[in-house]
Amino acid sequence: MKALLGILGVVGISLGVMAFFYGQDIEASINRDGLAKECPSSSPIFVRVRNWTFSTVKQVNFRMELYKGQRSRNLLSNSSYILDYVIEPFNSQTGCYSDEYTDRLIATKDQRDGGEEYVKVSLSDAIAEVNAAREFGSSHSVYITNVEYQMLD
């Protein structure tokens, strides 16, 4: 009898934990000491989508907002984004994003040959870009809203 109660207790706890985590989850980070360190400096906004369901996610549409300090004006030129990876049940997928604002603030580019962009290759420029990305992460905050998950049938 005690063994049966123990098994029922474990099953009940497992179902409770599963119900708590079931669904989809999306998060964003610009913290270069945290999740965003996985992204290159040129695309400093890290986004991860977790699919904690038995269905497959086909794509995720979302709105992203970026603020500096305590200001409330969205600094991103384009606020609509897509994570277009298929995400199998109980898996996750990540993406790294940039915008005109982040490009102007972080990316080191050189205009040559009729306006074509070339990335400068030098250690001092690379260090400056990493430092700019770190400063960006500490002075800005990112939020995700209006999330729409498209599921495979």
Side-chain angles (χ1 to χ4, degrees):
M1 183 67 166
K2 285 184 180 182
L4 180 60
L5 288 176
I7 291 171
L8 289 176
V10 169
V11 169
I13 290 171
S14 298
L15 289 175
V17 168
M18 190 171 164
F20 181 74
F21 287 107
Y22 193 80
Q24 295 92 9
D25 176 45
I26 186 169
E27 65 181 318
S29 174
I30 53 176
N31 181 356
R32 298 306 293 178
D33 294 325
L35 296 173
K37 69 182 172 194
E38 294 183 24
C39 293
S41 298
S42 59
S43 298
I45 305 172
F46 173 86
V47 174
R48 175 171 48 198
V49 175
R50 292 181 183 144
N51 178 18
W52 299 113
T53 71
F54 291 101
S55 300
T56 301
V57 174
K58 180 171 96 172
Q59 130 179 343
V60 183
N61 301 308
F62 57 97
R63 178 178 164 80
M64 196 158 32
E65 299 176 12
L66 181 75
Y67 304 112
K68 183 173 183 180
Q70 299 300 312
R71 303 304 299 250
S72 63
R73 190 179 119 227
N74 186 3
L75 298 171
L76 297 176
S77 312
N78 175 23
S79 293
S80 297
Y81 292 87
I82 296 173
L83 184 76
D84 62 345
Y85 290 104
V86 172
I87 308 170
E88 298 294 330
F90 301 99
N91 282 295
S92 65
Q93 188 61 252
T94 63
C96 296
Y97 295 85
S98 67
D99 180 76
E100 289 176 21
Y101 177 77
T102 59
D103 292 346
R104 282 191 315 269
L105 194 63
I106 297 172
T108 305
K109 296 181 180 172
D110 189 17
Q111 296 288 331
R112 298 183 196 159
D113 298 330
E116 293 291 322
E117 290 184 350
Y118 294 92
V119 176
K120 290 183 181 180
V121 180
S122 77
L123 187 56
S124 63
D125 289 339
I127 291 170
E129 189 170 302
V130 168
N131 288 338
R134 189 170 301 286
E135 171 62 28
F136 166 77
S138 66
S139 63
H140 291 75
S141 53
V142 63
Y143 299 93
I144 293 185
T145 61
N146 300 358
V147 181
E148 179 185 305
Y149 298 94
Q150 293 182 10
M151 309 301 283
L152 286 178
D153 295 329

